[in-house]
Amino acid sequence: MSRPETDSPGAGMEFTLEDISDEEIMRRRALYEPFTDSVRDLIDAVIRTEVDDATVRQAQAEIAGVVQRLRTQQMDGAYGVRYTADKKGMAWGNAVIGLRNAIAPPLVLRPGDDGGVVTDATLGAAYEGPSGLVHGGVCAMLFDHVLGEAASVDGIPCFTGTISVRYLRPTPLGPIRIDAAISGRDGRKKIVRGTLSGPDGVTAEAEGIFIVPREFEGQAFSSWVS
Ligand SMILES: CCCCC/C=C\C/C=C\C/C=C\C/C=C\CCCC(=O)SCCNC(=O)CCNC(=O)[C@H](O)C(C)(C)COP(=O)(O)OP(=O)(O)OC[C@H]1O[C@@H](n2cnc3c(N)ncnc32)[C@H](O)[C@@H]1OP(=O)(O)O
């Protein structure tokens, strides 16, 4: 596939204009969302299957066939961060929110009561660290994105400068919630705090410094289409 028009506003952040209608976004979403969900199911099934060796080998051959078919037409490089003419972002390859990324839970964010953002998700076997518990790096990755979104609520995308996570108690695999909001501003820097909660309450808290790249100062974008 040829790449749509690419714009690199700075700080290594590359955005790609893909001027498509809302109907076309809906069509692609209806196609790729269930497709990617099937791959998420596959990841979980591969981790948890207890079928016999022959069945595993047969499944591997079938998966290799599917991969080969998909590879007959591929875009160059990663999906990138695409946006429409009215500046709706489509970060569909993103590791945390990507609609086309089976590694992403994917998180879907909504506005919180405090001007911040909140998300609920279910983390299954693919996110395990210690037995039955969420991997600490996964917690950090999810915090990074959610705090980054909270920092960007006014539509100006921010980069993570520094983030620290305090793991208070283990986070069980299963339903989780993350809340994040800006707690301070200093020029291009925004201090953001967040919490990760499981069914029994807060398990980890994070604080980060998020920075508006110089090139983005004064620019406002729309929200993600996820
Ligand atoms: C075009 C259409 C777009 C469509 C988009 C549509 C919708 C989007 C809307 C909203 C959502 C957007 C995004 C948010 C989502 C998720 C977030 C994901 C977060 C990430 O996953 S992102 C990847 C990891 N992240 C990096 O890959 C950063 C690499 N890095 C750099 O790119 C630079 O390093 C940068 C930019 C950080 C700073 O560079 P710089 O040149 O601006 O900095 P400079 O030296 O001028 O410092 C200025 C002041 O920041 C202080 N400062 C500097 N660096 C600091 C640091 N690291 N920690 C703490 N403080 C720091 C200084 O001390 C000074 O402070 P003071 O003013 O007080 O002296």
Side-chain angles (χ1 to χ4, degrees), residues 15 83 87 89 144-145 148-149 152 155 157-162 186 188-189 209 211 214 221-224:
F15 293 94
Y83 66 102
K87 293 205 167 163
D144 180 41
H145 189 92
E149 292 259 10
S152 309
C158 294
F159 262 19
T160 316
T162 299
D186 177 10
R188 285 188 290 122
K189 291 186 296 188
I209 301 170
I211 300 167
R214 255 182 238 104
F221 300 122
S222 186
S223 55
W224 301 119

Side-chain angles (χ1 to χ4, degrees), residues 42-220:
L42 175 64
I43 292 171
D44 187 78
V46 166
I47 295 170
R48 297 170 56 213
T49 190
E50 295 186 317
V51 297
D52 59 52
D53 294 12
T55 308
V56 171
R57 286 195 193 93
Q58 190 189 337
Q60 185 189 344
E62 287 169 19
I63 293 165
V66 171
V67 170
Q68 200 175 18
R69 231 178 307 149
L70 294 175
R71 292 252 186 255
T72 55
Q73 238 179 304
Q74 297 261 279
M75 61 186 75
D76 297 331
Y79 188 84
V81 178
R82 304 186 185 191
Y83 66 102
T84 63
D86 52 353
K87 293 205 167 163
K88 283 182 193 148
M90 290 181 291
W92 287 2
N94 184 281
V96 176
I97 60 167
L99 184 146
R100 284 181 61 167
N101 189 341
I103 289 169
L107 294 190
V108 178
L109 290 109
R110 59 182 193 278
D113 297 334
D114 50 1
V117 296
V118 55
T119 183
D120 295 293
T122 299
L123 302 178
Y127 302 99
E128 185 171 56
S131 181
L133 305 173
V134 182
H135 195 292
V138 170
C139 300
M141 178 174 77
L142 301 187
F143 265 135
D144 180 41
H145 189 92
V146 178
L147 268 60
E149 292 259 10
S152 309
V153 282
D154 43 12
I156 305 172
C158 294
F159 262 19
T160 316
T162 299
I163 187 163
S164 67
V165 179
R166 190 177 175 99
Y167 297 90
L168 303 169
R169 57 188 64 86
T171 306
L173 291 172
I176 59 117
R177 174 188 164 111
I178 300 177
D179 291 83
I182 295 175
S183 64
R185 294 171 188 259
D186 177 10
R188 285 188 290 122
K189 291 186 296 188
K190 297 172 191 180
I191 314 298
V192 185
R193 292 207 179 112
T195 56
L196 168 65
S197 307
D200 297 325
V202 174
T203 58
E205 51 195 28
E207 183 175 284
I209 301 170
F210 290 80
I211 300 167
V212 177
R214 255 182 238 104
E215 297 79 351
F216 274 17
E217 266 187 303
Q219 291 196 52

